[in-house]
Amino acid sequence: MDFHFGRRSFLGLAAGASASVAGAALLGRSAPMASGPSRVRSSGGRLEMDLVAAETAVTIANAPRMALTYNGLLPGPLLEAEPGDAVRIRLHNRLNRPTNLHYHGLHISPSGNADNVFLSVAPGASQTYDFSLPADHPAGTFYYHPHRHGSVADQVFGGLGGVLIVRGALDRIPEVQAAQEQVVFLKDLPGDGDFGSMGMGMMLGREGAVLTVNGQVNPALSIPAGGLLRLRIVNGSNARFWRLALEDHPFNLIATDGGALETPVQLDELLLAPGERAEVLVRGDQQGGRYRLLNLPYARGSGGMMGGMGRSRGMGMGMGMGRGMGMGRGSAQQGPVPVATLAYEGSVATLPLPERLLPVVPLPEPVRTRRFLLNHGMAPGMGMVFLINGRAYEHGRIDTRVQLGDTEEWELVNDGVMDHPFHVHVNPFQVISRNGTPESYRAWKDVVLVRAGETVRIRTRFDDFTGLTVYHCHILDHEELGMMGTLEIAA
Ligand code: C2O
Ligand code: CU
Ligand code: CU
């Protein structure tokens, strides 16, 4: 069955009734759009669809509320493509602020109508995105979300985002293929009164009180006894780090942001910063019953700010910022919170874990090393700014010029008091070391957590595509407050 969502069906669906329309009527708002299919697969080498960004009614934990959605869905429709596919997505902006689309993690062109984050789609306007996935694009779990500087954090916090799967070699490994597959899209939504709130909370990075998995509060997930469950996990939050643990079931990590590992790595818990993805296999080797997927607390460096000025190193972490001013909202989680419940359902012949996955070829020696210093400060008239090498983002300024085909090593130094997950567009990287300690396994990443006080070295090669793109902190509030730079990849 084919789920194409072409222009004609898109217009046809607009008149149809749906849960979201009913919900909107309940709230006394006009319904912008009925929902479309929740899953769209490419066929015949093409993926073509419409995405309508709008504020719509959704139902969360049996209560209607407003959220920013794609096609009325939260998360947005699940897109599935294959290497070599031609993708055409028509984005329609029915929001009241400009937006655009970014295909986080895909190795595609950053120019023209492809993964160009400098495009701006005005309210009421539409934009067609056109790109091809390279024939050798790795299989993996990717993430589409808005990227219009100035409104990205609000729009992601408000609900926008969705998952894009590229199916390929990893999916053909027999044990992986035999696993039952489940997408786990993580997003915290603002609680009542938090919606669209700006200001002080942005400096820490706003976290919402409502923890959702696939747009639901504590949904049921199932695993067959004896079988394998493959979770494709995406952190689609604005700022919240998710630290997951599944009762009595370790995670067997098989893929990171950019695709497969060489062999599975067993983990008791999994930490994902915003923008990070992981694929894990869970073995159905328990005696049935129910097991909670827990989100464990994580302090991402806000404690220093909350506790006083002692750790601020004179960077102007100033006066009057503390409890009672909305700063603490981000760090409110004290203990484990159940975010989904795993139940045994049916059984299959016992499946082993795969022993080998796919090669992760090491990159050659770098031709150049650069240093990126991450911290924050106060700017006259702007208040708190977040900086890379002492500068806040400026549209049109090129901060880093690199050469197509070059391998570089980037030293990411965080000498501030808050963690910063550093993200680079277009080309994935390998983490070489953290505070001088070599990484224990090779993996392709596009977001790496640089904790307060850490130095992380990454290595990347600028392959296939020239043009302008960006790197930034994926706490999107920090990105908005300046922690982004423009990268030029020259021929
Ligand atoms: Cu997830 Cu610059 O993006
Ligand atoms: Cu990205
Ligand atoms: Cu940051």
Side-chain angles (χ1 to χ4, degrees), residues 102-105 115 117 143 145 147 423-426 446 472 474:
H102 168 49
Y103 307 88
H104 179 132
D115 191 14
V117 295
Y143 169 33
H145 65 77
H147 213 294
H423 171 51
V424 191
H425 286 214
V426 184
D446 54 58
H472 57 90
H474 218 291

Side-chain angles (χ1 to χ4, degrees), residues 148-313:
R148 169 59 162 78
H149 185 65
S151 55
V152 41
D154 284 352
Q155 291 176 357
V156 168
F157 194 44
L160 289 179
V163 179
L164 191 158
I165 289 174
V166 178
R167 292 197 185 275
L170 174 59
D171 304 87
R172 292 190 291 267
I173 294 171
E175 296 87 349
V176 176
Q177 197 160 34
Q180 181 172 306
E181 183 177 309
Q182 173 74 56
V183 168
V184 174
F185 184 80
L186 306 169
K187 189 186 281 290
D188 52 334
L189 294 169
D192 285 341
D194 279 351
F195 189 61
S197 73
M198 301 282 284
M200 299 301 249
M202 281 189 75
M203 296 164 196
L204 279 182
R206 290 165 295 171
E207 296 185 6
V210 183
L211 275 62
T212 66
V213 167
N214 301 332
Q216 294 172 269
V217 172
N218 197 10
L221 307 176
S222 74
I223 187 169
L228 292 173
L229 176 62
R230 176 188 187 182
L231 301 176
R232 295 179 178 266
I233 311 173
V234 178
N235 184 346
S237 289
N238 166 54
R240 180 182 289 274
F241 288 27
W242 292 69
R243 186 179 150 222
L244 301 174
L246 180 58
E247 291 176 319
D248 298 328
H249 294 77
F251 298 126
N252 298 282
L253 184 69
I254 59 166
T256 50
D257 304 333
L261 303 182
E262 299 195 290
T263 56
V265 174
Q266 189 176 315
L267 303 170
D268 289 327
E269 55 179 68
L270 181 68
L271 178 66
L272 291 178
E276 281 190 297
R277 291 90 63 212
E279 296 186 27
V280 301
L281 293 175
V282 173
R283 305 192 69 166
D285 56 3
Q286 298 297 310
Q287 295 307 308
R290 305 174 87 73
Y291 301 86
R292 297 177 304 169
L293 178 65
L294 298 170
N295 189 40
L296 308 175
Y298 181 85
R300 50 188 171 79
S302 53
M305 291 182 67
M306 298 289 297
M309 306 301 114
R311 294 176 58 203
S312 67
R313 304 186 192 191

Side-chain angles (χ1 to χ4, degrees), residues 200 305-309 318-329:
M200 299 301 249
M305 291 182 67
M306 298 289 297
M309 306 301 114
M319 334 270 296
M321 292 188 216
R323 270 174 238 274
M325 296 196 66
M327 295 285 288
R329 206 157 38 212

Side-chain angles (χ1 to χ4, degrees), residues 45-49 85-91 101 103 106 108-116 119 127-133 465:
R46 303 192 69 82
L47 178 82
E48 199 168 333
M49 68 170 319
D85 279 353
V87 179
R88 171 172 292 177
I89 295 177
R90 288 171 293 259
L91 172 69
L101 261 188
Y103 307 88
L106 291 187
I108 55 176
S109 167
S111 307
N113 289 357
D115 191 14
N116 183 347
L119 293 173
Q127 169 73 47
T128 300
Y129 287 89
D130 258 312
F131 58 86
S132 293
L133 290 171
F465 304 108

